[in-house]
Amino acid sequence: MLDKAFDPRTAEPRLYAAWEKSGAFAPGGEGAPFTIVIPPPNVTGSLHMGHALNNTLQDVLCRFERMRGRSVLWQPGMDHAGIATQMVVEREMAKRQEPKRTEIGREKFLEKVWAWKAESGGAIIAQLKRLGASCDWSRTRFTMDEGLSAAVNKVFVALYREGLIYRDKRLVNWDPKLVTAISDLEVENTEVSGHFWHFKYPLENGESYQFPTAHDENGEPTAWETRDYISIATTRPETMLGDGAVAVHPSDKRYAPIVGKRCLLPLADRYIPIITDDYPDPDFGSGAVKITGAHDFNDYKVAIKHDIDLFILMDERARMLDAKYIPAKYRGLDRFEARKQIVADIDERGLLIKVEDKKIMQPFGDRSGVVIEPMLTDQWYADAEKLSLKAIAAVETGKTRFVPENWTKTYYQWMRNIEPWCVSRQLWWGHQIPAWYGPDGHYFVAETEEEAIREAIIRYTAEGYTVEEIDAMMRGEGEGPLLVRDEDVLDTWFSSALWPFSTLGWPEGDSSFPSPSGRGARGEGPAGEAAVLRPQTGDPLPWPLPHRGRGEDSASLLHNHYPTSVLVTAHDIIFFWVARMMMMGTHFMKDVPFRDVYIHALVLDEKGQKMSKSKGNVIDPLVLIDKYGADALRFTLAAMAAQGRNIRLSEARVEGYRNFGTKLWNAARFCEMNGCVFDPAFDPQSARETLNQWIIHEAGKAAGEATAALEAYRFNDAAGAIYKFTWNVFCDWHVELTKPILMGADGLAKAETQKATAFVLTQIMKLLHPFMPFVTEELWRGTAERDGALIVSSWPTAPEFSPAEKAADEINWMIGLITAIRSTRAEMNIPASAKIPMLVIAAAPATAARIDAHKELIARLARLEPVSVAPSSPKGAVQIVHEGSVYALPLIGVIDIAAETARLGKEIEKCAREIEAIDKKMSNASFVEKAPPEIVDENRERRIAFAERREKLAAALAQLSSA
RNA sequence: GGGCGCGUAGCUCAGCGGUAGAGCACUACGUUCACACCGUAGGGGUCGCAGGUUCGAACCCUGCCGCGCCCACCA
């Protein structure tokens, strides 16, 4: 017996544990592999709406394809999230008043991070399970586990040897709070209100020139003033101490007299040249730009081009440096303090022309929220431009496809303008760069320290060191050890870029690469999360355990599942992740990492704003799951996941779909109460009853729509098709229409209807399972003895449903008739409880036959008693025209003649309007001529139908008024 | 400055060339033993505005008005 209602709170964890234990999540189908790698959530992460949507869609696809018999691998894992994790642990340490990271040292700190991970990291995995995600958790990977770390090393070394990774000194985005370089993508440019300071830089030797102050309409100067300075403007006065030149545009006549001369850099008391370059815009500011090569990306380019001196002004925390070229009074000041002081000092010297308020774009670190400082440092770079070529070509040639397609444009735009990727970070938590420095500053890039040492020995031997000298250095005598490892770690996205193949065992499974020394590619980190992730229960399985899992080793795993089938992600990560995976995949695997990239919406709040903690508008998916169940949340997200649109989530919607689950549950209870038990021997093709043929036909239509929609990633359409069929066809009509049969005496018809109904209910469970896995699985077991779990059952396919157009037409006609009668009853204010007689007026033989066949049902559902036949309508009866036939409700004396007259009049008018519209079309010669014939025919037919209807209505009206 | 997208029922959104749709909310009525997390019936839209293409436009094109997002070095 099914319970009165489905209780997600108790059922969901139980069902999930059973699935997991049965091995259903492991690849095992006989069909072609279907593979998705999860966008690895941060170890520090907890489930938010974005995750909920992202993983719901992946799970829908996985469950769908699994049921279609494919060998589904949904590869799960987590990202070590360098900066985020390091920040979390440091914060924890601060809270406990423990010594700082820098005090305890790298090794101790990393131990703490691993300990933190073991204890509180990865909470999101349990949350994904609550959502119902059918990942193969036995294969959970972590970007810092041994196998993935080996892959990272291998890739770094390989790229280095190919010249695609190099060390370089150039301007980087420096985060002075986190004290690390970050990539362009981690910088958020935000408009803030700032100031525009105009300074005078006096000319050398008191020189002066005539500067035009007024112009005529032709732009010719009409007035001049004598200037002994050049006017520059800046939004960052503190950087002036590092100016190496002032630049003007070569065409700017105003400054022509002083080009090539020098001006005094105030405060710094240096002279700098006035040069020309195309970069300054004569119409902006004063037209003259100070060139601060070491603290501005534009200036840097100009400085390099003209070989202008670069002055590094700040230390790693953006405090003014203790340097000769910086006046003593500014040294050690924070950059913003220095700014104030410098402006004050310039002003004091009478060199401040004016200060304007101005909106300026300012770069902020996306994690620290602090103003980013361009800094000249040594960093490791990947040659993104070279790596992008194959990645771009792969999309151009269609080897990888974006869905929706318009995201390809975004991808191209970024890829085609790509800058070198700064991959080093001055952090501790991450993959330490496999580079070792010798005492002479030369570095050796190698996968292991031993290898680096070997290379070093070769090099230093060649340079003429004796074996003894090298040996002495090796033992760390004198200056210290021969080689010192680079302290930096790699950008977190570096390891993420390898995710689609590193998680599948690369480089082990790739014969073109030698295996990394010793280690298994499936190694776990020190935390041993395997024990945490696997269920501990010893409960017997509620269903027989199917044989699943091919026992793939890493070689066949990589071979079978790469390229992966589809990547499901949000657009905000195309650059960070998708692009980088494309680069690394095409380079190392010689094939794209995924065939399709499905870009889904962002989940916003009801007002369309991004959810954020600071705004306090976060809807917690776990709260919704608690309240409505995971199924309801999943269905809502899928139903709203229309392509190319953001999702504004409202709780009412979730509630509505929770109700849908309950509706299905109750339909199943109805079936149970009426002996509709699934019979595997039932052949839907064999159904004889019109009703059964009809519902099987309709179920087939819904299945077809759902399948086509899922194949095209139209999740909302698939959800919609299933919803409508389940509620508006199966529950609203089939259940009602079968009641007399099911509740009647035994018979062949009853037996068939029971089986057909159970069959269709089973199909619904299957179709709905990817969206609502929990209720459907519970019903699957609760409604019949079955061989296996629903999760590993088969997806409905066309041959299971016999098309039955004729039966469908007949039942749909009946539904229309019943609806029309009900509608009229309501309009006439006939009490729902009242049973009234109905006369079928002079029906055509076909209609008469249909009436005859379904008289009881029509009577029951439209509350009629009796239904009989008459040659004409009695006077004063309410008359209904439906598909060319007239039905009369003889309620003489009961009905309001005036109201009925009005009703008929309104309907006639409606017909007239339609006819008029069609006539207008048809009388247009070019319509008949140019429109497709089927459209023209359709209009002709509609015109006939409406005309007939109008005629019948008119006759009814005439009869009424003659009464 | 470039790119992408959105303005359709009170709200949240589908539809994207041939008869305007869903969920929620709303109104009326509820006889029935699957379900009140329900049933039946209903109200509600000149599909942002203006042009154009077309036999035909919510849908295609152009412009405008509002809104959002992404990229970009105007010091």
Side-chain angles (χ1 to χ4, degrees):
Chain A
M1 256 305 264
L2 291 173
D3 291 341
K4 184 101 172 98
F6 176 65
D7 177 19
R9 280 167 187 274
T10 57
E12 289 179 355
R14 170 170 45 81
L15 292 164
Y16 194 90
W19 284 326
E20 194 174 6
K21 200 167 175 195
S22 74
F25 298 163
E30 296 301 315
F34 179 82
T35 314
I36 296 184
V37 289
I38 202 170
N42 289 353
V43 234
T44 53
S46 67
L47 195 80
H48 58 59
M49 268 312 162
H51 292 125
L53 171 65
N54 178 250
N55 289 287
T56 293
L57 299 184
Q58 290 176 79
D59 197 46
V60 167
L61 293 174
C62 285
R63 288 177 186 268
F64 168 58
E65 296 293 2
R66 194 179 286 124
M67 289 174 76
R68 294 220 285 183
R70 297 182 67 177
S71 182
V72 172
L73 170 60
W74 185 6
Q75 170 65 52
M78 280 187 296
D79 194 289
H80 66 280
I83 293 176
T85 308
Q86 183 161 325
M87 280 169 73
V88 165
V89 176
E90 287 193 85
R91 212 179 299 140
E92 291 266 311
M93 287 161 63
K95 215 186 288 169
R96 289 192 219 136
Q97 306 207 323
E98 290 173 359
K100 283 188 177 152
R101 159 172 82 94
T102 43
E103 293 169 58
I104 62 173
R106 185 176 195 130
E107 207 170 317
K108 282 252 167 58
F109 177 71
L110 290 180
E111 272 171 32
K112 274 187 180 290
V113 181
W114 281 107
W116 173 87
K117 177 184 178 282
E119 200 183 313
S120 20
I124 194 166
I125 286 186
Q127 297 170 335
L128 286 171
K129 291 181 177 186
R130 289 207 57 200
L131 227 210
S134 61
C135 302
D136 184 356
W137 299 109
S138 72
R139 296 176 199 268
T140 302
R141 302 301 299 267
F142 181 52
T143 47
M144 291 271 282
D145 71 26
E146 284 182 48
L148 267 64
S149 300
V152 166
N153 269 357
K154 185 135 237 143
V155 163
F156 187 91
V157 173
L159 289 177
Y160 173 76
R161 290 184 179 153
E162 292 172 66
L164 293 173
I165 276 186
Y166 54 91
R167 196 160 166 77
D168 196 10
K169 184 192 278 290
R170 25 182 297 154
L171 269 197
V172 285
N173 301 296
W174 186 266
D175 187 316
K177 183 173 175 195
L178 299 172
V179 197
T180 180
I182 56 176
S183 75
D184 300 344
L185 290 176
E186 290 157 279
V187 176
E188 277 176 9
N189 292 301
T190 313
E191 192 176 76
V192 297
S193 31
H195 301 284
F196 206 31
W197 286 274
H198 296 253
F199 293 167
K200 293 177 179 176
Y201 283 10
L203 295 178
E204 191 176 16
N205 301 326
E207 285 198 49
S208 62
Y209 64 110
Q210 296 300 112
F211 186 87
T213 53
H215 298 85
D216 62 19
E217 59 271 24
N218 299 321
E220 293 302 319
T222 53
W224 292 264
E225 68 178 16
T226 303
R227 280 189 179 179
D228 60 357
Y229 64 88
I230 183 163
S231 167
I232 62 94
T234 180
T235 55
R236 304 198 49 203
E238 69 278 14
T239 65
M240 69 163 289
L241 298 174
D243 290 357
V246 171
V248 297
H249 197 272
S251 70
D252 195 334
K253 293 194 190 108
R254 296 171 299 174
Y255 296 111
I258 56 169
V259 167
K261 303 199 163 152
R262 302 204 303 174
C263 61
L264 175 71
L265 185 62
L267 309 184
D269 287 325
R270 284 189 281 118
Y271 286 97
I272 56 175
I274 296 166
I275 62 163
T276 58
D277 191 90
D278 287 341
Y279 165 57
D281 174 0
D283 297 326
F284 186 80
S286 68
V289 181
K290 65 197 256 317
I291 301 299
T292 319
H295 287 276
D296 183 283
F297 286 96
N298 294 311
D299 295 4
Y300 182 69
K301 282 184 200 156
V302 177
I304 294 298
K305 195 163 135 196
H306 298 274
D307 200 21
I308 290 166
D309 293 338
L310 304 173
F311 299 89
I312 298 172
L313 297 174
M314 299 170 206
D315 68 8
E316 75 279 2
R317 294 190 183 275
R319 290 173 303 223
M320 302 308 280
L321 220 50
D322 188 1
K324 281 195 294 267
Y325 47 83
I326 296 176
K329 68 181 296 194
Y330 306 119
R331 294 177 195 165
L333 287 185
D334 171 80
R335 54 188 163 161
F336 299 113
E337 284 299 316
R339 175 181 299 177
K340 274 187 210 157
Q341 193 60 56
I342 284 167
V343 171
D345 293 345
I346 291 272
D347 195 13
E348 197 187 303
R349 295 190 187 195
L351 298 174
L352 178 62
I353 301 166
K354 61 174 173 178
V355 186
E356 291 175 78
D357 289 335
K358 192 176 187 308
K359 293 275 177 213
I360 52 173
M361 289 299 274
Q362 207 160 34
F364 292 90
D366 64 352
R367 295 226 94 96
S368 67
V370 132
V371 177
I372 292 305
E373 189 64 41
M375 293 274 246
L376 198 55
T377 60
D378 289 301
Q379 301 288 343
W380 292 94
Y381 290 91
D383 188 339
E385 196 182 336
K386 282 219 181 77
L387 288 167
S388 71
L389 297 177
K390 275 177 278 182
I392 293 168
V395 175
E396 285 170 339
T397 56
K399 290 182 81 177
T400 290
R401 181 174 70 113
F402 279 85
V403 181
E405 176 268 332
N406 58 295
W407 291 108
T408 51
K409 240 181 177 169
T410 305
Y411 173 82
Y412 287 146
Q413 191 190 313
W414 189 69
M415 280 294 229
R416 288 172 178 158
N417 298 295
I418 202 161
E419 292 284 322
W421 174 17
C422 175
V423 294
S424 47
R425 296 289 180 277
Q426 287 63 51
L427 305 171
W428 287 352
W429 177 241
H431 300 99
Q432 195 170 353
I433 289 173
W436 284 263
Y437 296 85
D440 60 350
H442 188 87
Y443 49 86
F444 304 92
V445 173
E447 280 183 56
T448 61
E449 184 166 13
E450 297 76 56
E451 204 186 316
I453 289 171
R454 259 199 310 278
E455 287 194 16
I457 291 172
I458 292 166
R459 180 186 169 93
Y460 291 129
T461 305
E463 283 183 357
Y465 288 92
T466 65
V467 175
E468 289 72 26
E469 283 168 332
I470 294 172
D471 187 52
M473 287 194 284
M474 289 279 295
R475 276 182 276 107
E477 292 170 13
E479 299 295 306
L482 173 65
L483 295 181
V484 179
R485 183 161 187 181
D486 194 313
E487 298 242 317
D488 293 352
V489 299
L490 288 165
D491 181 2
T492 299
W493 295 103
F494 192 90
S495 52
S496 311
L498 319 181
W499 191 249
F501 50 93
S502 64
T503 52
L504 298 179
W506 187 93
E508 278 212 339
D510 186 339
S511 52
S512 66
F513 270 83
S515 179
S517 51
R519 301 281 161 65
R522 298 264 310 273
E524 302 286 356
E529 57 269 60
V532 179
L533 298 176
R534 294 195 182 110
Q536 305 290 318
T537 60
D539 301 336
L541 288 173
W543 53 74
L545 187 76
H547 173 71
R548 293 192 68 83
R550 292 174 168 177
E552 292 168 296
D553 59 24
S554 58
S556 65
L557 193 71
L558 190 61
H559 178 261
N560 289 336
H561 293 281
Y562 191 96
T564 66
S565 309
V566 56
L567 179 80
V568 179
T569 194
H571 68 77
D572 55 352
I573 220 161
I574 291 177
F575 305 146
F576 276 113
W577 195 43
V578 180
R580 269 98 177 244
M581 285 190 285
M582 289 294 289
M583 292 193 253
M584 294 299 195
T586 50
H587 189 76
F588 284 96
M589 300 300 294
K590 314 281 183 255
D591 201 349
V592 295
F594 19 74
R595 307 255 90 117
D596 291 345
V597 181
Y598 177 74
I599 301 291
H600 65 242
L602 258 27
V603 187
L604 309 173
D605 74 357
E606 283 147 304
K607 291 179 204 137
Q609 296 193 304
K610 262 191 184 172
M611 292 186 194
S612 75
K613 276 179 203 155
S614 54
K615 280 188 212 144
N617 60 348
V618 177
I619 305 175
D620 185 347
L622 295 166
V623 170
L624 291 179
I625 290 174
D626 284 337
K627 208 163 160 192
Y628 302 105
D631 289 332
L633 175 63
R634 290 169 58 111
F635 199 91
T636 306
L637 292 170
M640 295 184 81
Q643 287 182 7
R645 251 234 166 134
N646 288 333
I647 294 179
R648 293 194 201 186
L649 191 71
S650 69
E651 196 172 322
R653 200 82 191 243
V654 182
E655 192 183 344
Y657 289 125
R658 185 274 317 269
N659 297 350
F660 174 57
T662 307
K663 184 75 182 176
L664 174 69
W665 183 265
N666 282 303
R669 286 181 67 224
F670 169 83
C671 290
E672 184 183 52
M673 290 171 189
N674 288 283
C676 302
V677 180
F678 180 74
D679 176 1
F682 173 73
D683 174 11
Q685 316 266 10
S686 72
R688 287 289 155 265
E689 293 292 314
T690 315
L691 215 49
N692 296 331
Q693 289 181 359
W694 160 76
I695 195 65
I696 290 165
H697 173 91
E698 295 292 332
K701 262 171 49 185
E705 283 169 36
T707 306
L710 283 177
E711 283 173 345
Y713 305 106
R714 286 184 284 107
F715 297 94
N716 56 320
D717 288 339
I722 299 164
Y723 181 95
K724 279 188 193 135
F725 174 70
T726 303
W727 200 316
N728 303 123
V729 180
F730 185 74
C731 291
D732 288 351
W733 290 105
H734 182 72
V735 164
E736 295 306 323
L737 293 170
T738 54
K739 275 177 182 173
I741 303 174
L742 293 174
M743 291 169 182
D746 268 19
L748 279 178
K750 178 170 176 176
E752 184 192 284
T753 301
Q754 285 172 325
K755 287 178 184 180
T757 302
F759 167 77
V760 171
L761 180 68
T762 295
Q763 301 307 308
I764 290 173
M765 290 176 204
K766 289 181 173 188
L767 293 172
L768 194 55
H769 181 259
F771 299 91
M772 294 190 152
F774 293 108
V775 224
T776 52
E777 186 71 79
E778 185 78 341
L779 285 173
W780 181 260
R781 296 200 289 120
T783 54
E785 294 289 321
R786 320 239 188 201
D787 280 344
L790 174 55
I791 186 174
V792 290
S793 68
S794 61
W795 184 256
T797 53
E800 293 175 63
F801 308 95
S802 45
E805 298 291 347
K806 212 174 137 243
D809 286 349
E810 188 168 330
I811 301 300
N812 290 331
W813 162 86
M814 175 169 68
I815 288 172
L817 176 59
I818 293 167
T819 305
I821 298 168
R822 283 173 173 172
S823 178
T824 307
R825 285 179 61 125
E827 223 168 319
M828 291 291 101
N829 288 318
I830 296 162
S833 55
K835 287 197 173 181
I836 56 170
M838 183 176 85
L839 298 170
V840 181
I841 308 303
T847 305
R850 282 177 167 182
I851 294 282
D852 204 44
H854 303 291
K855 205 193 285 184
E856 279 78 31
L857 279 178
I858 296 166
R860 178 189 166 97
L861 295 187
R863 306 286 299 163
L864 305 170
E865 182 66 45
V867 174
S868 45
V869 176
S872 63
S873 295
K875 290 186 194 307
V878 175
Q879 293 163 91
I880 298 160
V881 178
H882 175 252
E883 300 220 356
S885 297
V886 179
Y887 305 85
L889 307 176
L891 298 164
I892 299 121
V894 178
I895 66 157
D896 177 344
I897 300 287
E900 176 64 357
T901 306
R903 184 182 74 89
L904 289 172
K906 234 165 76 186
E907 289 214 47
I908 289 168
E909 213 176 293
K910 215 162 118 190
C911 286
R913 270 202 307 273
E914 294 284 351
I915 290 166
E916 200 184 330
I918 296 169
D919 282 348
K920 204 173 142 198
K921 263 190 203 176
M922 300 299 286
S923 63
N924 181 343
S926 50
F927 171 72
V928 183
E929 197 180 307
K930 292 185 183 172
E934 61 269 24
I935 298 294
V936 179
D937 285 348
E938 195 184 302
N939 275 281
R940 238 191 287 275
E941 279 160 29
R942 286 187 64 221
R943 151 91 223 208
I944 291 167
F946 276 116
E948 194 182 322
R949 182 175 171 80
R950 180 172 61 174
E951 219 168 281
K952 296 250 152 95
L953 287 165
L957 186 61
Q959 176 135 27
L960 188 72
S961 47
S962 73

